Amino acid sequence: MNTASLTIQGIRQGLLQKEFSAVELAKEFLRTIHAKDKELNAFIEITEDLALQQAAAIDDSIRNNEQLPELAGVPCSVKDAILVQGQRCTAGSRILEHYRAPYDATVVKKIQDAGAVIVGKTNMDEFGMGGSTENSAFGPVRNPHDLARVAGGSSGGSAASVAANESVVSLGEDTGGSIRLPASFCGVVGMKPTYGQVSRYGIIALASSLDQVGPFAKNVQDAQTLFSVIRGKDPKDGTSVEQQAESEEIPLKKLRIGVPQEYFAQGLDEKVAQVVKDALSKIEQAGATIVEVELPHSQYALASYYIVNMSEASANLARYDGIRYGFSKRASNLLAVYEDSRGQGLGSEVKRRIMLGTYTLSHGYYDAYYTKALKVRTLLKQDFEKAFEKADLIAGPVSPFLPFPIGEKAHDPLAMYLVDIYTVPVNLMGLPAMSLPAGKVGNLPVGLHLVAKPFAEHTIFSAGKTIEQLLA
Amino acid sequence: MITKEEMQKIASLARLALTPEEVEKFQKDFADILAYFDVLKKVDVEGVDPLTHPLAVKNVLRQDIPEAENPIAQEHIAKAALEQEQGYVKVPGVFQ
């Protein structure tokens, strides 16, 4: 069975025309996972029983001639920061190694109601902190295009599982680029919705003003379909919003694509720059207008982002205290339980960020760091608003780097932070953005980053479908 | 360079027990990363308000009506705790 070319629509046809059953399809993907994953390490947990159960339910529906829901029979992997009831949920951390989810995340409930078949929980940088999935307590994820290189992070497992045909789609989570970067590194489509479009209920939180769940797929249409299933206001997530009117579908001939001059400066690998420039050239030849835009405060975005990320993380991770769940070190007094459980259960990048976030929020430093970062956030917002007056989409590289060798940046935290330099402003602003494959350097994928105004997912998806065909 | 004492103070606030090696590594990391953050000193933020949320959010309230119990979740939650007794989470004494 050739699973590599299967799409959501293709699966639906195949099931209805009885070319295969949902159980047969699930078994095929599970076989692939068993064959490939010892090497790739994209999965922390393979949820075989759950998948077969869900697939059997779809086969029952087909037998009973029932209307099939949107994701019927579609093998889907889920980042291990997203709760699936009864299954382990580790967030890539030793401190939650044996934790079992007491309930389903809203997004999981939605994909289940839509008939998806959950094949497993994917590997990730611990608590979402990382750009390579090397910070996982369960080993790094290898890039399916080059096993000696990283898959990107923090949703490396999700991206790799789609790229390696271990699943057709995946649910990831993006706080500073954690969907878009691995999508770029693994040569698949990855999309982060506008902040508030998708419920965060049941998502293990990293930074609450930045986190968003989004889809991974092999093509833009499937990413759009998965997004349409998971979106929606949720009474359980106070930051989720009512569905807005769909944004415009702008035909290529009317599309204005803004390219920030600041992005093609030093620090960007020239081979990556060339792939992105060639892609933009093709798009221009097909009728779109490329305009130069300015984001003058870009140079401050990464610092602002990391201060916000670390500050919010230090608060969000206070709950891992060895008392209510997770790894716990029994001790003679309460304080020792906290300090030892956290000291031993949390990885070094996590501890580093908690320490820095505690510092930036502490008395005497709060204004110089946290408040300052939030004011810079306002200035960045003004930059983007001005840029969107001249452009419908803002485009550029997803990362300054090609997928790098495993271990190369592992000992230099700051070098790892620089991997996210183009993706982080998007989260600070809550904007929707997508990475789609733009080309390759040798066999290493390079993604094109497309950013739109708040709630303009439709504009990104429709332009994305056209661009995807152009670059194929 | 942040002193070992300051690092210990921060670790204590963060409820983290660090080894001496970790303290030393983090001192160096702090120096590098805070030096990078210093780029923000160059920005003039006179008259600029801080932005905590990218898009306007409002507080969300609901009616004060108890929701249906979720016994499966309750069971999971009690089981997950370090110590539990009759479905309640048991903790070491707070004031010892």
Side-chain angles (χ1 to χ4, degrees), chain B residues 8-85:
Chain B
Q8 287 297 3
K9 228 192 278 178
I10 298 165
S12 174
L13 283 173
R15 299 290 186 254
L16 288 170
L18 300 177
T19 64
E21 293 76 28
E22 281 175 321
V23 173
E24 208 177 301
K25 172 84 171 70
F26 288 164
Q27 272 180 290
K28 190 190 163 300
D29 292 339
F30 262 59
D32 291 341
I33 295 166
L34 292 177
Y36 182 78
F37 288 169
D38 275 348
V39 71
L40 295 186
K41 289 199 172 121
K42 295 199 265 171
V43 196
D44 178 13
V45 293
E46 187 67 46
V48 179
D49 285 327
L51 190 68
T52 52
H53 268 277
L55 303 160
V57 289
K58 304 186 302 189
N59 203 0
V60 176
L61 301 173
R62 63 174 175 84
Q63 292 299 313
D64 188 15
I65 300 164
E67 292 187 341
E69 287 190 17
N70 184 343
I72 298 173
Q74 283 174 319
E75 199 188 306
H76 273 280
I77 288 166
K79 258 204 221 126
L82 169 62
E83 263 192 81
Q84 64 110 356
E85 205 172 278

Side-chain angles (χ1 to χ4, degrees), chain A residues 158-388:
Chain A
S158 280
S161 75
V162 171
N165 298 314
E166 292 176 310
S167 65
V168 173
V169 294
S170 187
L171 282 184
E173 179 279 323
D174 189 310
T175 301
S178 290
I179 287 176
R180 293 159 288 147
L181 180 77
S184 173
F185 278 15
C186 290
V188 296
V189 176
M191 197 263 179
K192 183 203 84 70
T194 308
Y195 183 87
Q197 286 274 43
V198 179
S199 171
R200 292 181 301 111
Y201 179 76
I203 312 304
I204 294 180
L206 166 51
S208 306
S209 80
L210 304 170
D211 297 346
Q212 267 295 277
V213 170
F216 281 96
K218 284 233 193 67
N219 60 77
V220 178
Q221 179 59 59
D222 282 0
Q224 185 172 22
T225 304
L226 184 49
F227 168 67
S228 69
V229 170
I230 61 175
R231 72 191 298 186
K233 185 170 170 70
D234 181 12
K236 294 182 176 147
D237 175 1
T239 60
S240 67
V241 297
E242 291 290 356
Q243 184 149 335
Q244 313 274 305
E246 288 295 28
S247 62
E248 262 191 288
E249 176 168 334
I250 305 172
L252 217 59
K253 293 211 190 324
K254 295 222 182 96
L255 195 65
R256 300 166 303 161
I257 297 185
V259 179
Q261 49 171 316
E262 293 85 2
Y263 285 6
F264 285 86
Q266 64 164 178
L268 172 59
D269 181 316
E270 51 181 46
K271 296 203 189 96
V272 172
Q274 198 55 56
V275 172
V276 175
K277 284 187 181 149
D278 289 345
L280 291 172
S281 212
K282 283 198 186 117
I283 296 168
E284 191 174 32
Q285 279 163 42
T289 310
I290 309 284
V291 297
E292 200 174 74
V293 294
E294 283 147 30
L295 297 173
H297 296 92
S298 293
Q299 56 180 308
Y300 309 116
L302 195 71
S304 172
Y305 166 80
Y306 270 105
I307 290 170
V308 171
N309 173 296
M310 292 177 185
S311 302
E312 292 189 14
S314 71
N316 273 333
L317 270 69
R319 69 194 65 183
Y320 305 106
D321 56 9
I323 299 291
R324 285 165 299 159
Y325 39 65
F327 173 88
S328 188
K329 223 43 190 129
R330 282 177 188 279
S332 52
N333 64 76
L334 185 63
L335 187 59
V337 173
Y338 291 158
E339 291 181 337
D340 293 345
S341 302
R342 290 161 66 76
Q344 291 176 39
L346 297 173
S348 59
E349 179 61 28
V350 174
K351 284 189 280 197
R352 182 169 25 246
R353 292 203 198 184
I354 290 174
M355 290 285 287
L356 280 159
T358 303
Y359 180 75
T360 55
L361 288 176
S362 66
H363 179 67
Y365 299 106
Y366 187 100
D367 282 329
Y369 290 107
Y370 186 64
T371 308
K372 187 80 186 264
L374 294 183
K375 291 183 177 181
V376 170
R377 195 176 189 176
T378 300
L379 294 175
L380 264 166
K381 182 171 184 171
Q382 291 165 4
D383 281 1
F384 273 93
E385 282 169 349
K386 274 208 201 81
F388 280 122

Side-chain angles (χ1 to χ4, degrees), chain A residues 74-118:
Chain A
V74 175
C76 180
S77 63
V78 175
K79 185 179 191 177
D80 211 20
I82 301 175
L83 267 54
V84 175
Q85 185 183 55
Q87 303 295 336
R88 279 170 71 211
C89 197
T90 68
S93 180
R94 284 255 165 266
I95 215 168
L96 292 178
E97 190 173 359
H98 303 292
Y99 177 70
R100 282 196 181 263
Y103 55 87
D104 281 323
T106 297
V107 294
V108 167
K109 189 160 187 323
K110 287 186 173 212
I111 64 169
Q112 286 184 142
D113 288 347
V117 169
I118 297 175

